[in-house]
Amino acid sequence: MPFEKLIFDLKASSAGLWYLSLDSRNRNIVRLVAASLCLLFLLVFVWMPITGWSETEIQRYQNSIALHEWIQQNEQQARAIDEKNPASEGTRDSLLTLISRSAKASGITLLRFQEEGSGGVSVVLQEQVFNDVIVWLEQLQTRNNIEIRQLSIDVHTEPGKVNARIIFI
């Protein structure tokens, strides 16, 4: 009978004694105000967040559908442009830019990078995580068609880290 004990404790509290001291008209007003506050609470803290979330998700879904349709409509045109302009045929400046941007995105810090006389780019890395370097090099080859002409990797004193000199073409 925990519910009965709760009712008894509520009636014995100062708020309960105050409520019981009211006449029936004022008790009805207090009940009406309490019910109104409960409804307002439900509206503000339950209903509005649920409907707001629902509307947001519906909008995200519609945006995703529109993006998917746009991608399908422009796929062939993008593939044709990509086939005409592979990254390996770009200028040396774009090769430098591409290498430095991808290194930054992969968390690789380039100590030095410069153009080579043969049209390539020379890069020096120091104290970089070996696995990160290998993943970065693989991404440059597969995603950007950048080839490695020469690669020299030396073990660093800290385990798992390496120093490297790479020449890209």
Side-chain angles (χ1 to χ4, degrees), residues 78-90:
R79 288 187 190 275
I81 291 171
D82 187 46
E83 290 172 3
K84 290 179 186 175
N85 300 318
S88 61
E89 294 177 6

Side-chain angles (χ1 to χ4, degrees), residues 11 14 25 37-38 52 65 68 75 95 123 125-126 134 142:
K11 286 182 181 179
S14 60
R25 180 175 178 265
L37 287 175
C38 286
I65 295 294
H68 179 72
E75 177 184 16
L95 184 60
V123 175
L125 310 175
Q126 198 167 34
I134 297 301
T142 57

Side-chain angles (χ1 to χ4, degrees), residues 46-106:
V46 177
W47 182 255
M48 289 176 68
I50 289 173
T51 58
W53 173 83
S54 175
E55 290 170 2
T56 301
E57 292 305 310
I58 288 170
Q59 185 63 40
R60 289 174 88 190
Y61 174 73
Q62 290 171 344
N63 289 344
S64 296
I65 295 294
L67 177 62
H68 179 72
E69 290 172 356
W70 182 86
I71 289 172
Q72 284 182 327
Q73 291 171 356
N74 295 296
E75 177 184 16
Q76 294 303 323
Q77 182 182 5
R79 288 187 190 275
I81 291 171
D82 187 46
E83 290 172 3
K84 290 179 186 175
N85 300 318
S88 61
E89 294 177 6
T91 65
R92 281 176 270 149
D93 291 337
S94 65
L95 184 60
L96 275 171
T97 304
L98 188 60
I99 290 170
S100 64
R101 282 185 188 160
S102 68
K104 185 176 182 178
S106 297

Side-chain angles (χ1 to χ4, degrees), residues 127 154-163:
E127 296 181 24
D154 300 317
V155 177
H156 189 265
T157 56
E158 192 173 334
K161 294 206 173 183
V162 294
N163 299 330

